[in-house]
Short mmCIF file of all heavy atoms in Angstrom, two decimals:
data_model
loop_
_atom_site.label_atom_id
_atom_site.label_comp_id
_atom_site.label_asym_id
_atom_site.label_seq_id
_atom_site.Cartn_x
_atom_site.Cartn_y
_atom_site.Cartn_z
N ARG A 1 19.74 2.56 -19.42
CA ARG A 1 18.88 3.72 -19.18
C ARG A 1 19.43 4.56 -18.03
O ARG A 1 19.32 5.80 -18.04
CB ARG A 1 17.47 3.24 -18.81
CG ARG A 1 16.49 4.32 -18.45
CD ARG A 1 15.33 3.74 -17.65
NE ARG A 1 15.76 3.23 -16.36
CZ ARG A 1 14.97 2.54 -15.51
NH1 ARG A 1 13.74 2.26 -15.86
NH2 ARG A 1 15.46 2.11 -14.38
N ASP A 2 20.05 3.88 -17.05
CA ASP A 2 20.53 4.58 -15.86
C ASP A 2 22.04 4.86 -15.93
O ASP A 2 22.69 5.12 -14.92
CB ASP A 2 20.22 3.76 -14.62
CG ASP A 2 18.74 3.64 -14.37
OD1 ASP A 2 17.97 4.49 -14.83
OD2 ASP A 2 18.31 2.62 -13.76
N LEU A 3 22.59 4.83 -17.15
CA LEU A 3 24.03 5.00 -17.30
C LEU A 3 24.55 6.32 -16.72
O LEU A 3 25.59 6.31 -16.04
CB LEU A 3 24.40 4.91 -18.79
CG LEU A 3 25.84 4.57 -19.12
CD1 LEU A 3 26.18 3.17 -18.60
CD2 LEU A 3 26.08 4.61 -20.63
N PRO A 4 23.85 7.46 -16.90
CA PRO A 4 24.35 8.70 -16.31
C PRO A 4 24.49 8.63 -14.79
O PRO A 4 25.47 9.11 -14.22
CB PRO A 4 23.29 9.75 -16.73
CG PRO A 4 22.71 9.17 -17.96
CD PRO A 4 22.65 7.71 -17.76
N ILE A 5 23.48 8.06 -14.11
CA ILE A 5 23.55 7.92 -12.66
C ILE A 5 24.71 7.01 -12.25
O ILE A 5 25.52 7.35 -11.38
CB ILE A 5 22.24 7.33 -12.10
CG1 ILE A 5 21.07 8.24 -12.37
CG2 ILE A 5 22.37 7.08 -10.60
CD1 ILE A 5 19.71 7.68 -11.97
N LEU A 6 24.82 5.88 -12.93
CA LEU A 6 25.88 4.92 -12.59
C LEU A 6 27.26 5.48 -12.86
O LEU A 6 28.21 5.25 -12.10
CB LEU A 6 25.66 3.64 -13.37
CG LEU A 6 24.36 2.88 -13.07
CD1 LEU A 6 24.16 1.72 -14.06
CD2 LEU A 6 24.34 2.35 -11.65
N ALA A 7 27.40 6.23 -13.95
CA ALA A 7 28.71 6.82 -14.29
C ALA A 7 29.11 7.84 -13.22
O ALA A 7 30.32 7.89 -12.81
CB ALA A 7 28.65 7.50 -15.63
N GLU A 8 28.18 8.64 -12.73
CA GLU A 8 28.49 9.62 -11.68
C GLU A 8 28.89 8.89 -10.40
O GLU A 8 29.85 9.28 -9.73
CB GLU A 8 27.30 10.52 -11.42
CG GLU A 8 27.02 11.54 -12.51
CD GLU A 8 25.86 12.44 -12.16
OE1 GLU A 8 25.41 12.42 -11.01
OE2 GLU A 8 25.40 13.14 -13.09
N MET A 9 28.16 7.83 -10.03
CA MET A 9 28.51 7.08 -8.83
C MET A 9 29.85 6.41 -8.97
O MET A 9 30.63 6.31 -8.02
CB MET A 9 27.40 6.08 -8.52
CG MET A 9 26.05 6.70 -8.18
SD MET A 9 24.81 5.50 -7.69
CE MET A 9 25.35 5.07 -6.00
N ALA A 10 30.15 5.91 -10.17
CA ALA A 10 31.41 5.21 -10.39
C ALA A 10 32.61 6.15 -10.21
O ALA A 10 33.68 5.72 -9.75
CB ALA A 10 31.44 4.61 -11.82
N ARG A 11 32.45 7.41 -10.60
CA ARG A 11 33.54 8.36 -10.41
C ARG A 11 33.91 8.53 -8.94
O ARG A 11 35.01 8.89 -8.61
CB ARG A 11 33.17 9.71 -11.03
CG ARG A 11 33.25 9.73 -12.57
CD ARG A 11 33.24 11.14 -13.11
NE ARG A 11 31.92 11.72 -13.02
CZ ARG A 11 31.00 11.62 -13.97
NH1 ARG A 11 31.21 10.91 -15.06
NH2 ARG A 11 29.82 12.22 -13.84
N ASP A 12 32.92 8.27 -8.07
CA ASP A 12 33.16 8.35 -6.63
C ASP A 12 33.36 6.97 -6.00
O ASP A 12 33.35 6.84 -4.76
CB ASP A 12 31.98 9.06 -5.94
CG ASP A 12 31.85 10.51 -6.37
OD1 ASP A 12 32.90 11.16 -6.55
OD2 ASP A 12 30.71 10.98 -6.51
N ASN A 13 33.60 5.96 -6.83
CA ASN A 13 33.80 4.58 -6.37
C ASN A 13 32.66 4.11 -5.51
O ASN A 13 32.83 3.56 -4.44
CB ASN A 13 35.12 4.48 -5.60
CG ASN A 13 35.52 3.02 -5.33
OD1 ASN A 13 35.15 2.12 -6.12
ND2 ASN A 13 36.26 2.78 -4.27
N LEU A 14 31.43 4.30 -6.00
CA LEU A 14 30.23 3.94 -5.28
C LEU A 14 29.41 2.83 -5.96
O LEU A 14 28.37 2.46 -5.48
CB LEU A 14 29.34 5.18 -5.07
CG LEU A 14 29.88 6.25 -4.14
CD1 LEU A 14 28.93 7.46 -4.14
CD2 LEU A 14 30.08 5.71 -2.73
N VAL A 15 29.91 2.32 -7.10
CA VAL A 15 29.12 1.29 -7.78
C VAL A 15 30.02 0.40 -8.64
O VAL A 15 31.06 0.85 -9.16
CB VAL A 15 28.05 1.96 -8.69
CG1 VAL A 15 28.67 2.72 -9.84
CG2 VAL A 15 27.07 0.92 -9.22
N HIS A 16 29.65 -0.86 -8.73
CA HIS A 16 30.13 -1.70 -9.82
C HIS A 16 29.00 -2.63 -10.24
O HIS A 16 28.08 -2.90 -9.46
CB HIS A 16 31.44 -2.44 -9.47
CG HIS A 16 31.37 -3.38 -8.33
ND1 HIS A 16 30.74 -4.60 -8.37
CD2 HIS A 16 31.90 -3.27 -7.09
CE1 HIS A 16 30.88 -5.22 -7.21
NE2 HIS A 16 31.58 -4.42 -6.41
N VAL A 17 29.08 -3.11 -11.47
CA VAL A 17 27.98 -3.83 -12.10
C VAL A 17 28.46 -5.19 -12.63
O VAL A 17 29.54 -5.28 -13.23
CB VAL A 17 27.37 -3.01 -13.26
CG1 VAL A 17 26.31 -3.83 -14.02
CG2 VAL A 17 26.80 -1.71 -12.75
N GLY A 18 27.65 -6.19 -12.37
CA GLY A 18 27.91 -7.52 -12.97
C GLY A 18 26.88 -7.84 -14.01
O GLY A 18 25.68 -7.69 -13.78
N ILE A 19 27.32 -8.26 -15.20
CA ILE A 19 26.40 -8.68 -16.24
C ILE A 19 26.49 -10.21 -16.36
O ILE A 19 27.57 -10.77 -16.57
CB ILE A 19 26.76 -8.06 -17.60
CG1 ILE A 19 26.70 -6.52 -17.53
CG2 ILE A 19 25.82 -8.56 -18.70
CD1 ILE A 19 25.29 -5.98 -17.18
N SER A 20 25.35 -10.86 -16.20
CA SER A 20 25.32 -12.34 -16.27
C SER A 20 25.28 -12.77 -17.74
O SER A 20 24.41 -12.37 -18.50
CB SER A 20 24.04 -12.83 -15.55
OG SER A 20 23.92 -14.21 -15.70
N VAL A 21 26.29 -13.54 -18.10
CA VAL A 21 26.37 -14.14 -19.44
C VAL A 21 26.41 -15.65 -19.26
O VAL A 21 27.45 -16.23 -18.94
CB VAL A 21 27.59 -13.64 -20.22
CG1 VAL A 21 27.61 -14.22 -21.63
CG2 VAL A 21 27.61 -12.11 -20.29
N THR A 22 25.28 -16.27 -19.46
CA THR A 22 25.18 -17.72 -19.23
C THR A 22 25.65 -18.55 -20.41
O THR A 22 26.19 -19.63 -20.23
CB THR A 22 23.72 -18.08 -18.91
OG1 THR A 22 23.20 -17.20 -17.94
CG2 THR A 22 23.59 -19.51 -18.38
N THR A 23 25.44 -18.03 -21.60
CA THR A 23 25.78 -18.74 -22.83
C THR A 23 25.97 -17.73 -23.96
O THR A 23 25.42 -16.62 -23.92
CB THR A 23 24.68 -19.74 -23.22
OG1 THR A 23 25.04 -20.40 -24.42
CG2 THR A 23 23.34 -19.07 -23.40
N LEU A 24 26.72 -18.13 -24.96
CA LEU A 24 26.88 -17.33 -26.18
C LEU A 24 26.07 -17.91 -27.32
O LEU A 24 26.06 -17.38 -28.42
CB LEU A 24 28.37 -17.27 -26.58
CG LEU A 24 29.29 -16.62 -25.54
CD1 LEU A 24 30.75 -16.80 -25.95
CD2 LEU A 24 28.96 -15.15 -25.34
N ASP A 25 25.36 -18.96 -27.02
CA ASP A 25 24.50 -19.67 -27.98
C ASP A 25 23.08 -19.10 -27.89
O ASP A 25 22.41 -19.33 -26.88
CB ASP A 25 24.52 -21.16 -27.69
CG ASP A 25 23.67 -21.97 -28.66
OD1 ASP A 25 22.78 -21.41 -29.32
OD2 ASP A 25 23.89 -23.19 -28.74
N HIS A 26 22.63 -18.39 -28.91
CA HIS A 26 21.36 -17.70 -28.83
C HIS A 26 20.19 -18.70 -28.67
O HIS A 26 19.23 -18.45 -27.98
CB HIS A 26 21.13 -16.84 -30.06
CG HIS A 26 19.86 -16.01 -29.98
ND1 HIS A 26 19.79 -14.84 -29.21
CD2 HIS A 26 18.64 -16.20 -30.50
CE1 HIS A 26 18.58 -14.34 -29.30
NE2 HIS A 26 17.86 -15.14 -30.05
N GLU A 27 20.27 -19.86 -29.34
CA GLU A 27 19.20 -20.84 -29.24
C GLU A 27 19.11 -21.41 -27.82
O GLU A 27 18.00 -21.56 -27.29
CB GLU A 27 19.41 -21.96 -30.24
CG GLU A 27 18.34 -23.05 -30.22
CD GLU A 27 16.95 -22.51 -30.51
OE1 GLU A 27 16.82 -21.48 -31.19
OE2 GLU A 27 15.96 -23.16 -30.07
N LEU A 28 20.23 -21.70 -27.20
CA LEU A 28 20.22 -22.17 -25.82
C LEU A 28 19.69 -21.07 -24.91
O LEU A 28 18.88 -21.35 -24.00
CB LEU A 28 21.64 -22.58 -25.39
CG LEU A 28 21.79 -23.01 -23.93
CD1 LEU A 28 20.85 -24.16 -23.57
CD2 LEU A 28 23.25 -23.38 -23.62
#
Protein backbone atom coordinates (compact mmCIF):
# COMPACT_ATOMS: atom_id res chain seq x y z
CA ARG A 1 0.00 0.00 0.00
CA ASP A 2 2.89 2.33 0.81
CA LEU A 3 4.98 1.39 -2.21
CA PRO A 4 4.98 4.94 -3.69
CA ILE A 5 6.34 6.44 -0.46
CA LEU A 6 8.93 3.71 -0.04
CA ALA A 7 10.05 3.95 -3.68
CA GLU A 8 10.62 7.70 -3.36
CA MET A 9 12.59 7.22 -0.14
CA ALA A 10 14.62 4.41 -1.73
CA ARG A 11 15.73 6.70 -4.54
CA ASP A 12 17.35 8.86 -1.86
CA ASN A 13 18.79 5.83 -0.01
CA LEU A 14 16.49 6.39 2.96
CA VAL A 15 14.84 2.99 3.31
CA HIS A 16 15.28 -0.74 3.05
CA VAL A 17 12.76 -3.47 3.84
CA GLY A 18 13.04 -6.96 5.27
CA ILE A 19 10.35 -9.55 4.56
CA SER A 20 10.18 -12.37 7.07
CA VAL A 21 9.82 -15.78 5.40
CA THR A 22 9.69 -18.44 8.10
CA THR A 23 8.58 -21.36 5.95
CA LEU A 24 7.51 -22.22 2.41
CA ASP A 25 5.07 -24.83 3.75
CA HIS A 26 1.61 -23.27 3.82
CA GLU A 27 0.25 -25.77 6.38
CA LEU A 28 3.12 -25.08 8.79
